[in-house]
Amino acid sequence: MHIFFENLQYELNSSCKLKIRNLESIPFKWHFHPQYELTLTLNSHGQRYVNDSITDYSNFDLTLLGPNIPHTWHSYNRYDHNKPHKVYVLWFNQSWIEQVIINYY
């Protein structure tokens, strides 16, 4: 199983990146990156692979991953076959979390 490094590019003066994906299927793409990742998966069920763990996921799956953790999702099917798998992915770095904590307290 080949793992690849995902090099995420942020907009200038930004500490996070949001991507909304509408997919016919969620392919197995084993990867890692130095950012945190918050993923919301809708209209989908399948398996989530995180490091050495394999678990089932279903509709409205919300997952937070730490930096440099190998991961991927692989869909089996959609709940509504007339709509795509919808995936919201938010990547952010450690400095963003530190700023949130500083501003909160």
Side-chain angles (χ1 to χ4, degrees), residues 51-68:
N51 210 4
D52 62 354
S53 172
I54 302 171
T55 55
D56 292 334
Y57 76 88
S58 58
N59 204 17
F60 293 97
D61 179 68
L62 183 63
T63 303
L64 176 63
L65 299 169
N68 297 313

Side-chain angles (χ1 to χ4, degrees), residues 9-31:
Q9 300 296 317
Y10 290 18
E11 296 294 322
L12 189 62
N13 297 323
S14 179
S15 58
C16 64
K17 180 176 185 172
L18 175 65
K19 187 163 196 175
I20 301 171
R21 296 177 169 150
N22 292 295
L23 305 165
E24 288 300 310
S25 66
I26 300 175
F28 187 96
K29 289 188 176 178
W30 193 235
H31 66 282

